[in-house]
Amino acid sequence: MQESGGSSGQGQGGPSLCLEWKQLNYYVPAQEQSNYSFWNECRKKRELRILQDASGHMKTGDLIAILGGSGAGKTTLLAAISQRLRGNLTGDVVLNGMAMERHQMTRISSFLPQFEINVKTFTAYEHLYFMSHFKMHRRTTKAEKRQRVADLLMAVGLRDSAHTRIQQLSGGERKRLSLAEELITDPIFLFCDEPTTGLDSFSAYSVIKTLRHLCTRRRIAKHSLNQVYGEDSFETPSGESSASGSGSKSIEMEVVAESHESLLQAMRELPALGVLSNSPNGTHKKAAICSIHQPTSDIFELFTHIILMDGGRIVYQGRTEQAAKFFTDLGYELPLNCNPADFYLKTLADKEGKENAGAVLRAKYEHETDGLYSGSWLLARSYSGDYLKHVQNFKKIRWVYQVYLLMVRFMTEDVRNIRSGLIAFGFFMITAVTLSLMYSGIGGLTQRTVQDVGGSIFMLSNEMIFTFSYGVTYIFPAALPIIRREVGEGTYSLSAYYVALVLSFVPVAFFKGYVFLSVIYASIYYTRGFLLYLSMGFLMSLSAVAAVGYGVFLSSLFESDKMASECAAPFDLIFLIFGGTYMNVDTVPGLKYLSLFFYSNEALMYKFWIDIDNIDCPVNEDHPCIKTGVEVLQQGSYRTADYTYWLDCFSLVVVAVIFHIVSFGLVRRYIHRSGYY
């Protein structure tokens, strides 16, 4: 491609790196636009071509904007170049002539998503410090991590907001925090998906200005801004008008002065990126490429190069200042006082422009004669090899430490959301009190109390299983975007996340199990002693753990928690029917072993009745009489062997493991499905 005025091959801090992409094509299933579910994944779908023979390059020092209408393929191109795209992608991505694999690209580059995907309950400092453990070398000391986080907060202008929770930051601050997170690894290449979305003009300018400084390693001088806004427009002190006059003209000049003063204030708050110069690549220019939607003229001027896309094709790539001549040569004159970005997009979108899209495309390829395979980049191939060798020496933290850190994150989220947790726990305890009041009249072991005890135990089992299964159905629908991105980036392994998630529920299950039972046991079963309390509490806790597996299984089937809870009804019905209370399960041999409720009910009933040798019978001998606890168990089709309790405990663990294995497979399928992350 013609690129007059480009940077030289010898960049600041060492030879330049050139990233090229050649003939990129991407295909997606036609039905992929619908909401994801396991069943949709099983259908055979026809494919649509989203990206068509896209080729180009970027080199250190470049700040490139990808422009195009909605559906033009901007984000897809960005994800394809950065190797953050899964699915049917063809073509090559090379660095100074060396082919790049996905894991290599994730080490030398960072991808800034359009929407912030992070834990909102963390503070800015906590989030960066947490991510530094995953993204920095395992041998990096805590002091070095803290210093890196402090430097990044200073660099992106968030030092004063370091201890503010992410959910309380403004949109611009969140964007800069996301940028700081991506800079932890000190990448050479930055890929940003619409970094100005949802920001006001000053915040958007600040974000792009930060990227410009990262690429060029120099600030845009004040006189450059004067060229955009007028030679003397930044010389007016705050609160003063730069021109005298009266009426509407005077008011207009005051508004302009205030606007320029606000921009000056924003410029004073721009990041001090010099603090990053001590990092491994701190003195090296970077390259950034951004998909951006309708940039303002001042933001547009910050980009060194632009890429125009239409219908999945690149119709122009070149220096920003040469684009106007490119369009003029094709018969499209840029009007005076017009935002160039708006003009280019309008030209592509107009019907007349559509009819000439082929001509624009052919002209683009005619200009594609030099630059892609320039000898200066091939001369730097040995340098890129050394750089990649240095990057490949990176060692992540070990799997066990990943699990520990993720458990800390889950627990921190729970503590920060303690209010909602306490409310839920309060309703949970209200249920316990209600059950204790309903069954508090049980006294002695008589024929009348046999049914009452069975009913109370059944309610104990039901409450624990339903509370924990429905309490976790929201987990994956809410967390899937975070998991997909962080696992895709190689931040941590999916297995570490899943194990940490499961382990974080275990102490909660045991705590709630024993607390719930304490309220009921004190009013109903207190005469049976402390050992029965311990045994029943342990079994209820295991039931809760198994219920978590069941709930996570439902959660992983769909992306919507509403859909997961609605589709749980048939599963619940089957489990309840074969739980041993509503029917004689021996009439359908084997099916009772599919029910969570059966194992829980059987173990609780066994522990309560197995030692009972005498149950009072009525005076009227014509009435049926159950004389021992063994007869109670036999009537309910429960086992009476000595190993029954521990076998049921083991069975609950096995059921939980099976549910988790299936859930892990479903989540893994989602993580690796087509699309970008």
Side-chain angles (χ1 to χ4, degrees), residues 9-84:
Q10 189 75 10
Q12 181 181 354
S16 292
L17 295 172
C18 180
L19 187 69
E20 305 169 27
W21 53 97
K22 309 172 186 177
Q23 299 297 310
L24 295 181
N25 291 274
Y26 183 61
Y27 304 85
V28 298
Q31 297 180 0
E32 185 113 327
Q33 299 173 359
S34 62
N35 288 336
Y36 166 80
S37 74
F38 172 76
W39 314 111
N40 284 339
E41 286 290 306
C42 295
R43 297 174 184 169
K44 186 175 181 180
K45 308 160 186 169
R46 67 182 181 87
E47 290 187 325
L48 296 177
R49 193 180 183 186
I50 302 300
L51 207 59
Q52 304 185 41
D53 298 324
S55 299
H57 79 284
M58 61 188 294
K59 55 187 179 293
T60 48
D62 292 348
L63 176 59
I64 304 176
I66 303 178
L67 300 174
S70 298
K74 302 187 296 296
T75 298
T76 303
L77 176 63
L78 201 68
I81 300 171
S82 64
Q83 298 286 290
R84 267 77 173 181

